[in-house]
Each structure stands twice: as structure tokens, then as C-alpha cells.
Amino acid sequence: MLIVRKPQKTIVGGNEKWVYTGYTEDDPEAADLPKVYMTSDISPDGLMAVYEALGRPAEGKTAIKLHMGEPGNNYYLSPDLLKDLVLSVDGTFVDCNTYYGGLRGNTKAHLQAAKDHGFTYAPVDILDSEGEIALPVEGGRHLKAAIVGSHYSNYDFIISIAHFKGHQMAGFGGTFKNIAVGMSSVNGKKAIHDDPGGYMFSSDGNTFLEKIVEAAKAVIDDKGDKIVYINVMNNLSIDCDCNGAPQEPKMQDIGILGSLDPVALDKACVDLVYNAPEEQRKDLVMRIEFRNGLHTLKYAEELGLGSQKYVLVNLDD
């Protein structure tokens, strides 16, 4: 288990930089900071412990937003890991169809992939199977609205369970990508990925990252206190679960983290990656920095979605 430290100098990609690793609960500077709860127990009990620590129980019809895995990928979250929590809240697995095509590019194929991967003990709802709706984006630079699957409006509460890992375009995929791209319909994904000229996957790096944050903001603003955020840090490939042939993970599994603050949660996960042994972390850190992934956290904080400073609460203590 990582020992939480104050800011320290580390060598990443050959460059010296300061890496912030959170505060402990007894630190006087931590009183007003968001809490991130963590366990190294990657099990159904560990997941339930993190969810219960958040103190915000699901109410009403509950969407479980996660990535159910592109066929060919074996690193997506195990349905067995999620089962106790999902059944306890009478949850429904939700996602939207892909923009890039693949084997989840239409509802029939997407449902088949979910079935093949074991997500059959609870309902599965492809949110854009019957159309899309727009949620306003307030204060963004790029998007006026996030275009999400029309079934989004059927749900009172969202539990975001993201598989934290690398990503080919965003550097890393955590809470923001899970909500933004995952909730977006095919047209919503197109708006995030493409430039104004309509060229596929042509948004430049920071613009793409900022549009992810803006699309997530629309959902976060809409749901208010009817959403919680959980990240599972296992099978830490540099590639996304949307990749049918991802690179093999080189990092050890780390744990399960949860927060009511999505920025603090993703930042805590990034910090844990940066503080892993160098031989384990170097490929994932290189992927994050090559895509300037830390800009996601900076922009999300600028838009008022949370804090990059946090208290890490170890539930294993």
C-alpha cells in the first residue's frame, strides 16, 4: 500500500517535476478538502466498502455507467467484481454505441458483447438505442451541449464505475472519460472527437481533452448530488478497454478508489500511478504525458468541477 506523502520531486520521462500525492486526514491543511476513499482490496467486498464510505446511497432508478469491453479486450472490469453492488441497488448497466465502429458500433452487437462478457445478471441499456437528447454545457470553450443517449433521462441516479488505465488519445481514462464519452451518443462522440470541419478524430490534443471535460460537466451539473464516482485501478494497460488488442499491463494492481469529487478522484489515481515503482509506471506515465493527459484535471478544476487537492482515506487501516 502506498504511503501518502507531501509534495516531492520525482523523475518522470527524464524530467524533474513536482508530484502532489494528497494529504492525510490529520493534516491541518486538509479540513476543507474533498475525501478520496481507497482500498487495496479489489474484490466485491472492497468495492462495496468504497461505495458505502461515500455516504451517498443510490436513490430511484440507478444507472451503472461502465465500459463493458470491446471484444478481444480482456482487461475490462470483471462483472463478478461488480455484482454485489449492482444487485444491491437494483442497477442497470448503461453505455452508448461507439463512434469508431468496432464490435459495439450498433445496439445489437453491443448487447451481444455485454452478454459475451458476462454482464447478464442485471439489465443492460444502450442509452442511444432509440435516439439522443442534448444537455446544456455551461461555461465551456467548445461545446454548447453534450449529446447523450435518450434513455439517459430514465435514470434518477448514476454510479460511475470507471476502469482507470491509459488511453490512446486522452493519455488516461478515468471518471471524466467514462462519463463524457460513455454517456454520449454516436453524434455526441463525434462532437467530442472531430474538429469543426468534421474530420474524424481530428480535434487537437487539448481541445479534445477539454471537450471531454465539458461533456462530463453537462452530466455532472444535471445530476447534482445524484451521482457518485468510483475508479478501479487494475489491469493497468496503457490502452483503453475500447482497444481490441491492448498492450499487456506492466503495473501491479493498485486498488479501488471513490469520491464525491471527480477531479480529486482522477487526480488521486494519477498520483498513485506516478508514485509506483519506475519500471512499472514508465510506460503509462509516458502515455499520459505524450497526450498531455494532466490537462484534463487542470481544465476540470478551472470549470469548478472539483479540486486537485484531496485527502486520501485508506479504508484498509
Side-chain angles (χ1 to χ4, degrees):
M1 173 61 193
L2 177 80
I3 297 174
V4 181
R5 297 186 290 267
K6 282 296 189 70
Q8 62 173 354
K9 190 174 290 185
T10 187
I11 305 296
V12 180
N15 299 314
E16 283 193 350
K17 60 176 60 182
W18 290 97
V19 178
Y20 182 84
T21 55
Y23 288 91
T24 55
E25 285 186 278
D26 57 357
D27 194 304
E29 299 177 64
D32 298 322
L33 296 180
K35 292 183 178 180
V36 178
Y37 299 92
M38 175 182 178
T39 179
S40 59
D41 178 17
I42 303 177
S43 72
D45 288 344
L47 180 61
M48 188 65 76
V50 169
Y51 167 72
E52 291 176 347
L54 297 176
R56 183 181 286 176
E59 300 175 351
K61 189 170 183 180
T62 300
I64 310 294
K65 174 62 199 79
L66 82 158
H67 196 304
M68 291 175 281
E70 182 71 16
N73 186 303
N74 295 317
Y75 301 138
Y76 56 88
L77 295 181
S78 165
D80 292 336
L81 173 67
L82 309 173
K83 188 173 183 178
D84 289 355
L85 174 56
V86 174
L87 294 182
S88 73
V89 299
D90 195 21
T92 298
F93 293 117
V94 304
D95 206 350
C96 282
N97 290 319
T98 61
Y99 175 41
Y100 60 81
L103 296 177
R104 295 179 302 119
N106 62 73
T107 299
K108 182 179 179 180
H110 204 154
L111 290 172
Q112 185 62 50
K115 180 179 179 181
D116 292 344
H117 289 171
F119 296 93
T120 54
Y121 53 78
V124 176
D125 186 0
I126 307 306
L127 297 178
D128 60 341
S129 60
E130 295 182 296
E132 59 195 24
I133 59 174
L135 300 177
V137 174
E138 301 293 340
R141 297 173 181 165
H142 311 284
L143 300 179
K144 300 298 183 184
I147 307 170
V148 301
S150 63
H151 291 184
Y152 166 89
S153 59
N154 295 337
Y155 295 92
D156 305 301
F157 197 99
I158 297 173
I159 301 177
S160 169
I161 306 180
H163 178 206
F164 189 93
K165 69 287 178 193
H167 188 269
Q168 300 91 306
M169 296 181 66
F172 70 88
T175 291
F176 281 94
K177 183 180 175 299
N178 188 48
I179 294 171
V181 181
M183 287 287 190
S184 293
S185 67
V186 173
N187 283 324
K189 291 177 173 67
K190 177 180 173 65
I192 293 170
H193 280 286
D194 296 355
D195 68 18
Y199 294 101
M200 194 171 186
F201 299 106
S202 55
S203 290
D204 67 50
N206 282 357
T207 298
F208 172 66
L209 299 175
E210 290 173 3
K211 289 196 286 187
I212 285 177
V213 172
E214 291 174 10
K217 185 178 189 297
V219 173
I220 292 168
D221 288 349
D222 181 69
K223 283 296 182 242
D225 62 358
K226 303 298 182 183
I227 186 170
V228 297
Y229 314 97
I230 297 172
N231 286 353
V232 180
M233 299 187 73
N234 70 343
N235 293 326
L236 289 153
S237 171
I238 66 171
D239 294 320
C240 178
D241 294 342
C242 59
N243 189 326
Q247 287 198 29
E248 182 178 351
K250 296 182 180 179
M251 288 189 63
Q252 292 182 356
D253 294 347
I254 293 177
I256 302 174
L257 292 82
S259 183
L260 302 181
D261 183 318
V263 181
L265 177 57
D266 274 1
K267 181 60 163 65
C269 291
V270 167
D271 286 344
L272 287 164
V273 168
Y274 271 75
N275 283 277
E278 184 176 1
E279 284 304 306
Q280 291 187 34
R281 77 182 185 222
K282 62 180 183 180
D283 287 355
L284 183 49
V285 167
M286 187 179 300
R287 172 59 57 89
I288 291 171
E289 296 195 344
F290 181 68
R291 294 301 187 183
N292 199 27
L294 300 182
H295 183 69
T296 300
L297 302 172
K298 178 177 181 290
Y299 188 58
E301 190 174 46
E302 287 177 6
L303 290 186
L305 294 176
S307 169
Q308 291 193 71
K309 295 182 179 180
Y310 58 89
V311 177
L312 187 63
V313 180
N314 183 3
L315 299 178
D316 298 338
D317 290 342

